[in-house]
Amino acid sequence: MAAGPIDTHCPYCSLQCGMTITARPESAGGGYAVAGANFPTNRGGLCEKGLSAAELLVHPDRLTTPLVRDHRDEPFRGATWDEALDRVAAGLTVAQERFGPDAAGLFGGGGLTNEKAYQAGKFVRVALRSASIDYNGRFCMSSAASASTRAFGIDRGMPFPLADVARADTVLLVGSNPADTMPPAMRWFAAGRERGARHLVVDPRYTATAAAADVHLQPVPGTDLALANGLLHLAIKLRLVDTAYVADRTTGWDAVRRAARQYWPDRVERITGVPVRVMERTVRMLAESRATMILSARGAEQHATGSDTALAWINLALALGLPGRPSSGWATLTGQGNGQGGREHGQKADQLPGYRMLADPAARAHVAGIWGVDPDELPRPGVSAYEMLDRLGTSGGVRALLVMASNVAVSAPRAAHVRERLAALDFLAVSDLFLSETAELADVVLPVTQWAEEEGTMTNLEGRVLRRRRAVAAPTGVRSDLQVLHDLAGRLGRGAFFSDDPRTVFDELRRASSGGKADYAGISYERIEAERGVFWPCPDDDHAGTPRLFTDRFATPDGRARFHVVHHRASAETPDAEYPYRLTTGRSRAHYQSGTQTRRTKTLLEAEPEPVVEIHPDLAARVGVADGGDLRLRTRRGTARMRVRLSREIRSDTVFAPFHWGGEQTVNDLTNPALDPASRMPEFKVCAVALEPTTTEDAR
């Protein structure tokens, strides 16, 4: 494999940058070189994560044999695949026999291919006949997905191609830092600035993205909804609303217009800390531009009010007449590699393929017909990701769990509690490339293929379905997740319903999604290759795909977008005497997600060997810590220790810490699992924190 350059895609973020892989037989121990390909999203560019991704393919820590143990206080030992799979099947079966069908479950990931995500949902509902499935995308895109579905009738993160960003005259980014999280995307922002576009950024930190913008709005964490409503109030007051668009293409405006009266500028400044003059400048820039985009991301969405916050920004976009106009609209920047496709085809607790809903009798009948089962066999909707994790090992909760492509011991909120729940399981199996913090807690660990060793499809942040091509032979002893699910289904007596061939699984996915909101029926491997990706919905072979949504109508019964009345609510946790400051979390430039891959990549570790907590010099002086010193962060849920980096780029009442590390540096030990009532998104982005300098001896 990979004798010459083979085209595939990066294993990391939702850009899914095109890249080529070439074997380097002359290098010590073999190896591979990657280079950026001229794909529409990245045009040859790669960030340091993409450029170093080949290091994962020859990493010495790679798992290549199944690991098992009889007791969790014993070390792992190598096992055959038959023994390991027999143990997994037995663990799932015993749990169901003792506690009922929902006692066996699966926790998936937003990095799985469309084929794997589809197969995971089918496996739980057909092989296990269980309601217990959800995935880590619940922690990423669920609030924006909920808001988009309620407002537009459909959830596709970007309803237009990324290249349209370069054609927009004004772009507002809310809680998004693509300069660090998806650097190749910045070429489109730079192209816009070169032709005179103006950019604005809403973020509590003065990020690399904010530094390149014309205007930076620096609100108190957790107040983005109030800010959006305040901008809407000003748009009404200054007569900047597109009344013709509102009348022709929306419903619900009158109630939202009345509700906006409560958000007069002085009040919003007191809530958010954003000056009135900055709000007025912002709304004029948005309204007076020929083409305007509002782009949201996790900074605004990972809150217990995340769905309402996304709706507030959609309300503003609708009032200004943006969605459906050329090079305009509202969008959310999906984070994980298959964060879009992973949430369309059945990994979510309430969902069936094609973005059908499990509670809908017609959807159940359609999908059951494709699967060859009786609709009554399909379980009811299950509980969301954190709710599933919170109940592990309890009466009524999952007792035997299979985790795929997720490291919840680091990535879940209140992570120490989640680790306790994982330890309380009767049985835990994990499939992964490396022995992650979650895998270390397991009874069985299954070594599986990674990005360059497998075939499949991904759906990027634009809704473009693309091909992941096999460029490298997998190590001996490693199997794909599709094979794992197929072989487990066989052991559970349901093997006839499953294939382990990616193309066969994708063709079944196409049929299952046909007629759904996320319709892939007209998308084939051949079309993806020929057209360099196909945008869904694409209902048949003759359909061209849909790069741009909402040009004529929205995906609602009457074709109109929906305004929604939403109100600011304080964060679930606010500073007090014991926990006087705010903690916000996010990604750093060199690392990704829970760090299972990037913390094992030499190039990235050299660039960023440890996490640091960013703290304003004024706050550091009050706390008594110096640059480079050690700081203990303490919340109601736990503690973490990090080295200090002084920065005037963050608010003086807030600290920022990245979430890519485990051990004493597990920031998610601190975060708050308060859930959004609509999306069930936990409140990762803000909690109350105490800051305590530590001595050198403490640090040891």
Side-chain angles (χ1 to χ4, degrees), residues 251-273:
T251 63
W253 167 243
D254 287 342
V256 167
R257 178 175 53 81
R258 289 192 299 271
R261 294 171 185 164
Q262 302 176 39
Y263 294 87
W264 59 92
D266 289 344
R267 180 190 178 217
V268 173
E269 179 175 340
R270 288 195 299 272
I271 294 171
T272 67

Side-chain angles (χ1 to χ4, degrees), residues 229-537:
N229 281 358
L231 295 174
L232 180 59
H233 177 103
L234 285 168
I236 297 167
K237 176 183 176 182
L238 300 173
R239 299 185 178 181
L240 299 174
V241 174
D242 188 334
T243 54
Y245 178 99
V246 169
D248 292 344
R249 300 207 60 188
T250 73
T251 63
W253 167 243
D254 287 342
V256 167
R257 178 175 53 81
R258 289 192 299 271
R261 294 171 185 164
Q262 302 176 39
Y263 294 87
W264 59 92
D266 289 344
R267 180 190 178 217
V268 173
E269 179 175 340
R270 288 195 299 272
I271 294 171
T272 67
V274 177
V276 172
R277 59 179 173 76
V278 176
M279 288 188 275
E280 289 180 347
R281 182 186 180 195
T282 296
V283 76
R284 288 189 185 278
M285 290 173 69
L286 297 176
E288 295 171 358
S289 170
R290 174 193 60 86
T292 296
M293 290 180 179
I294 298 175
L295 305 179
S296 177
R298 306 305 81 69
E301 298 159 9
Q302 285 181 320
H303 296 268
T305 58
S307 296
D308 283 356
T309 299
L311 283 170
W313 291 103
I314 290 173
N315 284 344
L316 179 62
L318 290 172
L320 299 179
L322 306 182
R325 274 174 38 193
S327 304
S328 299
W330 174 89
T332 182
L333 301 179
T334 300
Q336 294 195 72
N338 201 27
Q340 181 67 58
R343 69 180 186 265
E344 296 168 356
H345 298 298
Q347 276 195 105
K348 291 171 74 173
D350 58 353
Q351 190 190 75
L352 289 170
Y355 232 118
R356 288 181 164 89
M357 303 312 294
L358 187 55
D360 177 8
R364 295 170 68 90
H366 171 81
V367 174
I370 301 297
W371 288 349
V373 300
D374 190 302
D376 291 338
E377 290 184 40
L378 299 180
R380 68 191 188 287
V383 299
S384 71
Y386 183 77
E387 292 167 299
M388 179 197 289
L389 296 174
D390 184 43
R391 301 173 191 176
L392 295 178
T394 66
S395 176
V398 169
R399 309 299 292 254
L401 182 68
L402 171 60
V403 177
M404 297 171 59
S406 192
N407 187 14
V408 292
V410 172
S411 64
R414 197 184 173 198
H417 171 71
V418 169
R419 293 193 295 274
E420 291 174 358
R421 300 315 327 146
L422 290 167
L425 285 165
D426 297 334
F427 180 82
L428 173 63
V430 175
S431 69
D432 212 327
L433 320 177
F434 301 107
L435 196 66
S436 69
E437 286 83 354
T438 304
E440 288 174 350
L441 303 174
D443 300 286
V444 175
V445 182
L446 305 174
V448 292
T449 53
Q450 60 176 311
W451 58 289
E453 301 162 356
E454 60 190 17
E455 295 281 337
T457 61
M458 307 283 278
T459 305
N460 78 349
L461 78 171
E462 311 162 293
R464 187 196 306 261
V465 185
L466 47 85
R467 260 305 281 289
R468 172 177 278 184
R469 296 182 63 207
R470 185 181 180 215
V472 174
T476 301
V478 170
R479 297 187 183 181
S480 76
D481 286 303
L482 287 181
Q483 289 176 287
V484 169
L485 294 174
H486 168 269
D487 293 347
L488 285 174
R491 285 167 167 79
L492 297 170
R494 306 288 274 181
F497 295 94
F498 293 86
S499 171
D500 60 4
D501 174 63
R503 186 184 292 261
T504 301
V505 174
F506 186 73
D507 286 342
E508 184 181 292
L509 180 158
R510 294 169 60 195
R511 297 193 302 275
S513 73
S514 179
K517 292 178 180 179
D519 192 334
Y520 283 36
I523 303 176
S524 64
Y525 276 25
E526 289 74 21
R527 281 194 66 180
I528 294 171
E529 290 282 353
E531 301 172 28
R532 309 183 77 197
V534 181
F535 290 86
W536 71 261

Side-chain angles (χ1 to χ4, degrees), residues 133-275:
I133 181 171
D134 213 81
Y135 79 126
N136 64 16
R138 181 76 67 171
F139 301 155
C140 182
M141 296 303 306
S142 58
S143 287
S146 171
S148 183
T149 301
R150 290 167 66 189
F152 305 132
I154 196 170
D155 161 38
R156 200 180 87 186
M158 293 190 75
F160 42 76
L162 185 62
D164 283 6
V165 170
R167 305 184 183 102
D169 295 329
T170 302
V171 180
L172 174 66
L173 293 116
V174 185
S176 177
N177 182 23
D180 282 343
T181 60
M182 48 180 67
M186 294 306 290
R187 68 172 55 243
W188 303 110
F189 293 90
R193 286 195 299 273
E194 287 173 5
R195 46 173 292 277
R198 299 174 298 178
H199 295 163
L200 307 90
V201 170
V202 177
D203 200 305
R205 302 165 64 218
Y206 186 69
T207 62
T209 304
D214 299 272
V215 179
H216 176 217
L217 296 82
Q218 196 169 28
V220 173
T223 64
D224 298 293
L225 193 160
L227 178 60
N229 281 358
L231 295 174
L232 180 59
H233 177 103
L234 285 168
I236 297 167
K237 176 183 176 182
L238 300 173
R239 299 185 178 181
L240 299 174
V241 174
D242 188 334
T243 54
Y245 178 99
V246 169
D248 292 344
R249 300 207 60 188
T250 73
T251 63
W253 167 243
D254 287 342
V256 167
R257 178 175 53 81
R258 289 192 299 271
R261 294 171 185 164
Q262 302 176 39
Y263 294 87
W264 59 92
D266 289 344
R267 180 190 178 217
V268 173
E269 179 175 340
R270 288 195 299 272
I271 294 171
T272 67
V274 177

Side-chain angles (χ1 to χ4, degrees), residues 386 413-417 420 571-583 632-640 666-674 683 686-692:
Y386 183 77
R414 197 184 173 198
H417 171 71
E420 291 174 358
S571 299
E573 218 174 69
T574 55
D576 58 21
E578 186 176 2
Y579 302 97
Y581 309 111
R582 291 180 177 88
L583 167 67
R632 179 187 293 111
L633 292 79
R634 180 171 56 85
T635 72
R636 290 175 173 85
R637 289 153 296 280
T639 63
T666 305
V667 167
N668 279 320
D669 282 355
L670 312 180
T671 50
N672 191 351
E683 189 152 85
V686 60
C687 65
V689 65
L691 306 176
E692 301 165 349

Side-chain angles (χ1 to χ4, degrees), residues 538-556:
C538 183
D540 57 61
D541 294 342
D542 297 324
H543 193 281
T546 314
R548 294 173 181 84
L549 298 172
F550 315 143
T551 55
D552 300 315
R553 59 178 284 122
F554 294 94
T556 57

